[in-house]
Every structure is written in C-alpha cells, then in structure tokens.
Amino acid sequence: MKNSKRPADIYLRFLQLAEAIRGLPTLPPLDPLEERILEWIARASRDGDRLSVRDMMAKEEFGAPATIHNRLKAMREKGWIMLTDTEDARRKQIELTQAALLHFDKLSKCLVQAAKGMS
C-alpha cells in the first residue's frame, strides 16, 4: 500500500492516539451512548448553555428518558459529570467534572499531535 498523506490519515492517526489515552487509568470507561451524552454536555458547556437533567431527558436522540436518567447516574458515579443546584431545588444542572475536562484536554492534544505528524 502506498504511503499517502491524505486528510483522512490525520483523523485516523487521531483515533489511534485517542485510543491510547483511553487505556490510561483515569476514569472508568464510558459506553458509546455515554460518550455521546458527554460530548453533548461538553458542547453545551462550551457554548455557555445551562443543561439540566430534565433538558437531557427530553433529548429523544439519546433514547427513553429512563435510559438517559440511568446513563447520567452511571456517568456521575464514574466521575465524568456532577450535578449542581439551581435556583429551583427540584432541578439539577449537569456539569463536567475536572477529570472530564482534563480528558477533553488530552483529546485535543491528540488531535494537534495527529495534525502535526501528518504535515
């Protein structure tokens, strides 16, 4: 196979590097649905949007409300997210933990490293 430098090679190298950091002992691993939920929470956080448990349970793309609630509970127990109080004691806001933010920092470094390695 020819050693080409296609744009897709950067992404494939990123996936390889990201897989390597997933093996590091930090937080318990997430299943694919939990990863999608974590990414959604991270994007909302980056955009400055407040995201409550009720808001997440209304996201049909993640499944039934009970499924989402169970996943959020598991992610909290694993240390990926935390719930904080709002002005309404019945509503909890979802936030990333410091460990989850560090995970995204590591993924970002993997992406930069992959791009540098292919240039």
Side-chain angles (χ1 to χ4, degrees), residues 54-68:
R54 175 181 264 167
D55 295 335
M56 281 303 297
M57 290 174 57
K59 304 286 183 199
E60 293 179 6
E61 60 265 38
F62 297 127
T67 299
I68 297 168

Side-chain angles (χ1 to χ4, degrees), residues 33-62:
L33 178 56
E34 291 170 344
E35 284 187 22
R36 286 181 45 220
I37 291 171
L38 185 73
E39 291 165 359
W40 185 278
I41 295 166
R43 284 192 304 270
S45 177
R46 180 206 59 209
D47 294 343
D49 296 336
R50 294 180 57 163
L51 190 61
S52 70
V53 172
R54 175 181 264 167
D55 295 335
M56 281 303 297
M57 290 174 57
K59 304 286 183 199
E60 293 179 6
E61 60 265 38
F62 297 127

Side-chain angles (χ1 to χ4, degrees), residues 108-119:
S108 178
K109 288 178 184 176
C110 289
L111 185 57
V112 170
Q113 185 178 351
K116 282 182 181 177
M118 301 310 271
S119 58

Side-chain angles (χ1 to χ4, degrees), residues 68-83:
I68 297 168
H69 188 269
N70 288 336
R71 288 307 203 291
L72 290 173
K73 182 179 176 185
M75 293 168 69
R76 185 174 174 215
E77 290 170 356
K78 292 176 183 179
W80 288 93
I81 62 170
M82 60 185 165
L83 302 180

Side-chain angles (χ1 to χ4, degrees), residues 6-24:
R6 301 172 41 120
D9 293 337
I10 294 171
Y11 181 70
L12 296 173
R13 176 73 176 137
F14 163 72
L15 291 177
Q16 180 183 21
L17 294 168
E19 188 63 33
I21 69 163
R22 283 191 177 98
L24 299 176

